Amino acid sequence: MLAASLECSIVEYIFFEQYESYISLANALHVSESTVKRSIKQMNLFFEQYDIIIKARPLRFEGDENNIRYFFILYFTAKYNLIDLPFKKKLIYQLEQFYTLVSTIFRNKPTIQDRLNFTLFSAVAYEREKNNHPLVIRNAPKITFLINILNSLPTKFTHLNKIDSKSELDFWIRTFSLFTNNKTFNSTPMLSKNKQKKIFERTGIEQFLFLFSKIFKIELTDNERFTISKELYELLFGFLKPKNIINSLNNHYSAFYKSNDFFLDSYKILTKKIFVHCFSEELFPYFDFFFFVLTTHSISLLDNFYSLFAKINITIYIDFDFQFSIYVQNKLEKLLPGNMNFLLIDSADKLYNTNGISESDLFITNIYNYKSIGIAFKEIYILSHHISEFDIENITDIITEVYKKNYSGIILEGEEILKQYFNTDM
């Protein structure tokens, strides 16, 4: 529906400034001039709150240039999902070449997602600059690396055009402003590893990662810690930092935090508490995006934490055929998550002669009169001579409750750790 919307077509045509007048745009869209005017009037009511306006003669976007660029980054992401972007193929190719070249020189590990982000951000900026909508950069960064990259290497190798004048140089500085005017491509990668670590310590990233790892019992190597620190730094201070001023246009990450069932609701809350304690208030609006990336990009970290509480001891005793006990074990291992430690009992005598049975988190049996066994179990589930989908659902619920109980213990420990470090009630 987004791609077919009249308003979206109008927005896109005006962004590329292909039509100067209402009538020429109306003819291209096969609608009346009054329809175009009415749609633009309605859109301007929406854009007004972001200091953006569509003006005529020629048709163009004006207002807060940062907001305009950020809006179109969100727009093109939503409509094209970073694939087959509506920019000239030559431009896309050159931007991708530039990204690969810079990543190689700065020894950053290039990723598909970062390359797609860089290409979209820079393509949007390029179109705005080309159409004489320059971005005002108050604190122009050092751009020596741009000159070196584009001018000192052979064009045959870079596939990029040379910069021949100061005006052209300024044009590209503004085009790459999301990268040249931040600490991601501009300064941090050119610093030594020790100096980068000091930046992570000064900005609160080192403290966040220390507490996050300690509370959720995650063991990191020095290289893993450094790599994650760089990514978190880019999220909060670098080119991946979202512009919260248009937060209502970018609520996907907020929905991920509020609505997604991680099975670990306390994980969300405790992670936010760590974030609030480690970073300044001006960074709070970026937490949802930060949490999304931390959770989705660091699956191995959460897997390690998951293994600490997602474990259960299960005893199975079936009195009519021991093979059915083995069958039940295999079935549960294939269908249910977590680390399940099984104890299979093949005779009634062993019920009383096997250590640890009463300590099992779950006892599964087919004996309806289980009280006659004379052993007090934490949790019992009665099977018939088969295991149905209904049984699987019930056993899953029991196991989930055991996991949650284990998890709650870890969370309580985490709350105590935060109290110790920040000397405050949670």
Side-chain angles (χ1 to χ4, degrees):
M1 183 174 181
L2 178 64
S5 158
L6 173 63
E7 285 74 17
C8 286
S9 296
I10 291 174
V11 161
E12 198 164 321
Y13 276 131
I14 295 177
F15 171 77
F16 287 105
E17 301 193 12
Q18 294 173 282
Y19 300 97
E20 293 195 355
S21 63
Y22 291 118
I23 188 62
S24 60
L25 178 56
N27 290 337
L29 294 171
H30 305 291
V31 296
S32 67
E33 182 179 4
S34 61
T35 298
V36 169
K37 287 183 176 180
R38 184 167 57 251
S39 295
I40 290 177
K41 183 178 180 180
Q42 291 173 343
M43 285 189 288
N44 274 337
L45 292 176
F46 168 77
F47 285 130
E48 183 180 10
Q49 59 187 315
Y50 306 116
D51 194 17
I52 300 173
I53 187 172
I54 299 174
K55 289 191 173 182
R57 299 178 184 176
L59 286 168
R60 66 201 185 277
F61 280 93
E62 287 195 359
D64 187 309
E65 188 59 30
N66 277 310
N67 289 0
I68 293 172
R69 296 186 185 198
Y70 186 58
F71 167 78
F72 279 102
I73 287 171
L74 295 178
Y75 169 83
F76 288 124
T77 300
K79 183 174 181 180
Y80 297 97
N81 196 26
L82 299 180
I83 305 298
D84 294 327
L85 294 170
F87 300 93
K88 292 182 178 179
K89 300 299 181 184
K90 182 179 179 181
L91 173 63
I92 296 295
Y93 174 75
Q94 289 205 328
L95 293 175
E96 289 175 346
Q97 287 293 319
F98 179 85
Y99 171 83
T100 302
L101 185 60
V102 172
S103 297
T104 302
I105 290 175
F106 289 152
R107 297 180 181 178
N108 286 341
K109 183 180 179 181
T111 67
I112 293 176
Q113 186 62 45
D114 285 352
R115 176 174 57 79
L116 292 173
N117 284 338
F118 173 81
T119 302
L120 173 59
F121 294 0
S122 299
V124 167
Y126 174 87
E127 288 294 330
R128 293 296 294 171
E129 294 291 335
K130 179 172 68 72
N131 291 323
N132 297 314
H133 303 291
L135 182 69
V136 176
I137 302 177
R138 293 182 176 86
N139 299 310
K142 296 179 181 178
I143 43 75
T144 306
F145 74 95
L146 265 179
I147 301 173
N148 290 338
I149 290 172
L150 297 179
N151 286 352
S152 68
L153 297 174
T155 302
K156 182 178 181 181
F157 174 70
T158 65
H159 301 283
L160 300 169
N161 298 325
K162 300 288 186 180
I163 295 177
D164 297 324
S165 65
K166 185 180 183 306
S167 61
E168 189 178 0
L169 177 62
D170 290 340
F171 174 92
W172 285 108
I173 289 174
R174 294 190 299 268
T175 297
F176 295 130
S177 61
L178 283 169
F179 295 81
T180 59
N181 200 22
N182 67 65
K183 298 179 178 62
T184 303
F185 273 1
N186 181 38
S187 59
T188 302
M190 293 184 283
L191 298 175
S192 67
K193 193 170 184 178
N194 286 335
K195 288 185 177 180
Q196 290 186 61
K197 286 182 177 180
K198 289 181 179 179
I199 291 177
F200 301 150
E201 182 179 349
R202 187 175 67 249
T203 54
I205 289 172
E206 176 63 28
Q207 185 182 40
F208 173 87
L209 205 51
F210 167 76
L211 288 172
F212 184 82
S213 302
K214 186 176 181 65
I215 288 172
F216 295 120
K217 303 185 187 319
I218 297 167
E219 295 184 3
L220 296 173
T221 65
D222 287 343
N223 285 337
E224 288 173 335
R225 184 177 297 276
F226 182 74
T227 299
I228 296 172
S229 295
K230 287 186 69 173
E231 183 167 21
L232 297 183
Y233 180 84
E234 288 182 353
L235 297 179
L236 293 176
F237 306 99
F239 72 92
L240 291 179
K241 175 180 177 180
K243 297 185 183 301
N244 190 63
I245 193 169
I246 312 188
N247 187 53
S248 61
L249 296 179
N250 193 19
N251 60 5
H252 311 292
Y253 303 115
S254 177
F256 179 86
Y257 176 79
K258 294 177 181 177
S259 306
N260 216 355
D261 181 12
F262 301 99
F263 166 69
L264 312 173
D265 288 336
S266 299
Y267 159 73
K268 302 190 296 185
I269 298 171
L270 195 49
T271 301
K272 189 166 188 175
K273 287 180 179 179
I274 302 170
F275 183 92
V276 168
H277 279 298
C278 293
F279 299 109
S280 61
E281 189 173 347
E282 64 182 14
L283 296 176
F284 291 178
Y286 308 125
F287 171 74
D288 292 335
F289 181 51
F290 180 94
F291 179 79
F292 172 83
V293 175
L294 182 68
T295 302
T296 58
H297 289 205
S298 306
I299 296 175
S300 60
L301 303 185
L302 293 181
D303 283 346
N304 177 73
F305 172 57
Y306 185 78
S307 68
L308 294 175
F309 65 84
K311 51 188 178 183
I312 185 172
N313 295 317
I314 301 174
T315 296
I316 302 177
Y317 172 57
I318 304 296
D319 69 349
F320 70 88
D321 195 317
F322 182 67
Q323 287 301 124
F324 186 61
S325 297
I326 297 175
Y327 172 78
V328 171
Q329 175 184 345
N330 291 335
K331 188 93 169 178
L332 295 179
E333 285 178 333
K334 288 181 173 63
L335 295 177
L336 302 182
N339 179 21
M340 292 173 284
N341 180 37
F342 288 92
L343 176 61
L344 305 187
I345 305 299
D346 58 4
S347 68
D349 292 340
K350 289 185 178 179
L351 277 174
Y352 307 98
N353 298 321
T354 303
N355 294 329
I357 288 182
S358 61
E359 298 303 314
S360 294
D361 299 300
L362 174 60
F363 180 67
I364 299 176
T365 184
N366 68 312
I367 300 176
Y368 282 86
N369 188 21
Y370 61 86
K371 292 184 179 178
S372 64
I373 297 175
I375 300 176
F377 299 101
K378 295 179 181 178
E379 192 74 45
I380 295 178
Y381 190 79
I382 308 298
L383 281 178
S384 182
H385 290 67
H386 65 280
I387 183 167
S388 66
E389 183 177 344
F390 178 74
D391 292 321
I392 294 295
E393 290 178 357
N394 288 337
I395 293 173
T396 299
D397 289 341
I398 294 172
I399 290 176
T400 298
E401 288 305 311
V402 172
Y403 290 172
K404 285 184 176 180
K405 183 179 179 181
N406 296 340
Y407 171 76
S408 295
I410 296 175
I411 292 300
L412 289 175
E413 290 179 15
E415 298 278 9
E416 290 301 317
I417 291 172
L418 279 183
K419 287 181 183 179
Q420 292 172 15
Y421 278 90
F422 297 103
N423 192 29
T424 181
D425 291 334
M426 301 304 294

